[in-house]
Amino acid sequence: MSPVMGYFMLGSALFIIVSMALMLGRLLGGPTLYDRLLAVNSFGTKTVLFLCVFCFIIGRPDGVDIALLYALMNFIATIAVLKFFNYRALDVDLTQADEAERGGAR
Amino acid sequence: MSLIFAAAADASEAAKAASYVDWWGVISNIGTVMSMLAGLFFIMAGTIGVLRLPDFYTRLHAAGMTDTLGAELILLALIFQCDNLQMVLKLLLVAFFLLVTSPTATHAVAHAAYRAGLRPLLGEYRAPTLDEDAS
């Protein structure tokens, strides 16, 4: 990678960091829980992108593995938090909970 | 790819090797710059949309759509800069998982918010209930 491309990658990484910092505003001041969850999910996606760009800048390709792990963990964390705030527990079988809720409420 | 071009130039004529231009490098750099700029535009558009749009569902639209496209474009820009196949495969794996998980997470958040009773800002229109969607 030529030095010019290195500086371009550095600028893009700083741009992604600025975007992440702006997303923190919605995370801290979101009116509802779901706004905050959306901000966390988007923040995680931007973290994956920043890790990929950063490991290209420092020339160590190991960071892509961490980015892959972080992408999967971000998805699982979002689903887990949604399920927790829906059912107030994590050890709920989703089909049984759906049937119980439909049978009870409707 | 540049090694193949360099070997061909060396084998054919030594005079052409003096004025040898790394065309693959030029093309990959141009592709990197263009897709990186497009990806950064979409990322920043999604962030500004999440900050400034009035309603949860419009914010979800901004973040969910632009984050997916911007992430794929930035990963494409990085794929142009790879020099071995292993990095290309890893970045394609990251791109695949982001392409699968990001719309799924967006859909899950939207569905959970709708089931929890969060109503969109619609003005004179009325949002359909979940029973009307099912039938």
Side-chain angles (χ1 to χ4, degrees):
Chain A
M1 197 160 64
S2 63
V4 180
M5 285 311 290
Y7 283 117
F8 179 71
M9 291 277 185
L10 195 59
S12 343
L14 289 178
F15 200 85
I16 295 175
I17 285 182
V18 167
S19 173
M20 287 163 73
L22 285 177
M23 194 56 91
L24 279 181
R26 182 51 75 192
L27 177 64
L28 294 178
T32 65
L33 164 75
Y34 301 102
D35 284 307
R36 294 170 205 265
L37 259 178
L38 172 67
V40 167
N41 192 17
S42 186
F43 192 85
T45 307
K46 289 176 179 57
T47 309
V48 172
L49 295 177
F50 173 72
L51 269 177
C52 287
V53 178
F54 187 69
C55 74
F56 265 79
I57 291 171
I58 63 175
R60 293 182 59 181
D62 317 332
V64 181
D65 297 335
I66 305 172
L68 180 60
L69 182 71
Y70 203 88
L72 294 174
M73 264 179 55
N74 184 30
F75 174 65
I76 294 174
T78 305
I79 298 297
V81 172
L82 278 176
K83 186 180 173 185
F84 179 74
F85 279 102
N86 203 359
Y87 298 112
R88 299 287 164 188
L90 282 181
D91 55 344
V92 180
D93 194 2
L94 270 182
T95 56
Q96 287 179 4
D98 249 4
E99 283 170 3
E101 185 175 307
R102 285 180 192 279
R106 292 165 190 167
Chain B
M1 186 60 84
S2 63
L3 281 179
I4 298 174
F5 283 170
D10 282 342
S12 62
E13 287 178 29
K16 276 191 179 177
S19 64
Y20 165 70
V21 179
D22 186 10
W23 285 110
W24 174 247
V26 171
I27 289 173
S28 68
N29 279 355
I30 288 175
T32 298
V33 169
M34 286 178 66
S35 54
M36 182 71 91
L37 286 181
L40 290 180
F41 168 74
F42 279 116
I43 289 284
M44 190 48 95
T47 306
I48 292 173
V50 167
L51 279 182
R52 293 201 36 96
L53 282 174
D55 181 19
F56 167 68
Y57 294 96
T58 50
R59 283 177 212 142
L60 194 70
H61 171 74
M65 301 197 78
T66 56
D67 265 3
T68 309
L69 184 56
E72 300 302 319
L73 280 171
I74 287 180
L75 288 174
L76 180 69
L78 291 180
I79 285 173
F80 274 123
Q81 288 295 315
C82 286
D83 49 358
N84 52 359
L85 188 61
Q86 184 189 2
M87 282 295 289
V88 173
L89 287 180
K90 277 183 194 173
L91 284 173
L92 280 180
L93 208 58
V94 174
F96 171 72
F97 278 122
L98 275 185
L99 191 63
V100 171
T101 58
S102 180
T104 313
T106 306
H107 173 81
V109 174
H111 188 75
Y114 203 82
R115 267 180 59 166
L118 197 64
R119 292 289 159 230
L121 286 178
L122 285 179
E124 54 179 321
Y125 299 104
R126 185 181 65 88
T129 62
L130 280 180
D131 291 333
E132 287 175 358
D133 279 347
S135 64

